Amino acid sequence: MPKITPNLWFDTKALEAAEFYVSVFPNSKVNNVSYYGEAGPRPAGTVLTVDFELDGQAYTALNGGPEFTFDEAVSFLINCADQDEVDHYWSRLTADGGAAGQCGWLKDKYGLSWQVIPAALEELMTDPDAGRAQRAMEAMLKMQKIDVAALRAAADSA
């Protein structure tokens, strides 16, 4: 199967965004930066693309102009082991202009949507006891950042 690389369209901040994402996720790096030449459409010497990896997953960031922006139709899900990981990624990605959304969703300072989801959420949503799963769902729908202890408490209340 061919490798699939998400391509993220930025106006002018592709390199800044890539460097930010690389600072957030372990085992990550910027691999290559290319620049516009004389043929344009941007001024020669400005960043065209940035190839980077987040924990082994390749991405390309493009400075394509203001024509397109991110929305929630596409998001990146971070599967977190526990509340500490949720708290870490949530605080890093909402910092400096990011915004909390509902049910574990957020937008970072570049407008890219992320879902910061603990393993416990799937465990509770797929609980064989339908009542526990329903109570966890009701609690999750009231949250912004997912709170594992509150989810478990809601699931266990009868």
Side-chain angles (χ1 to χ4, degrees), residues 7-12 62 64-74 107 110-113:
N7 191 321
L8 306 173
W9 182 296
F10 294 87
D11 180 3
T12 61
L62 165 73
E67 293 85 359
F68 302 108
T69 57
F70 300 121
D71 68 27
E72 292 80 359
V74 173
K107 280 191 173 187
Y110 302 102
L112 188 60
S113 291

Side-chain angles (χ1 to χ4, degrees), residues 8 17-31 52-59 76 112 114:
L8 306 173
E19 289 173 340
F20 170 68
Y21 299 140
V22 163
S23 78
V24 171
F25 295 94
N27 306 312
S28 300
K29 61 184 175 178
V30 171
N31 292 320
F52 64 103
E53 292 178 27
L54 301 181
D55 199 20
Q57 168 65 51
Y59 294 84
F76 293 111
L112 188 60
W114 298 84

Side-chain angles (χ1 to χ4, degrees), residues 59-117:
Y59 294 84
T60 297
L62 165 73
N63 279 334
E67 293 85 359
F68 302 108
T69 57
F70 300 121
D71 68 27
E72 292 80 359
V74 173
S75 64
F76 293 111
L77 189 142
I78 305 168
N79 291 299
C80 297
D82 54 29
Q83 189 68 53
D84 287 342
E85 280 191 1
V86 169
D87 294 346
H88 168 77
Y89 290 114
W90 191 271
S91 67
R92 291 295 309 274
L93 291 168
T94 57
D96 302 322
Q102 290 300 115
C103 307
W105 290 61
L106 63 84
K107 280 191 173 187
D108 66 30
K109 61 185 171 182
Y110 302 102
L112 188 60
S113 291
W114 298 84
Q115 298 175 58
V116 184
I117 306 298

Side-chain angles (χ1 to χ4, degrees), residues 115-153:
Q115 298 175 58
V116 184
I117 306 298
L121 181 62
E122 182 176 353
E123 168 199 325
L124 291 166
M125 294 294 131
T126 60
D127 193 296
D129 178 338
R132 285 189 89 235
Q134 182 61 35
R135 291 187 297 273
M137 172 68 88
E138 288 170 0
M140 186 266 306
L141 290 172
K142 297 174 186 167
M143 295 178 181
Q144 289 186 314
K145 178 177 74 172
I146 302 298
D147 179 331
V148 174
L151 281 179
R152 289 194 189 285

Side-chain angles (χ1 to χ4, degrees), residues 7 12 14-15 18 30-37 40 42-52 59-64:
N7 191 321
T12 61
L15 181 57
V30 171
N31 292 320
N32 186 52
V33 179
S34 69
Y35 299 89
Y36 280 99
R42 295 285 181 100
T46 60
V47 173
L48 172 60
T49 62
V50 182
D51 297 320
F52 64 103
Y59 294 84
T60 297
L62 165 73
N63 279 334

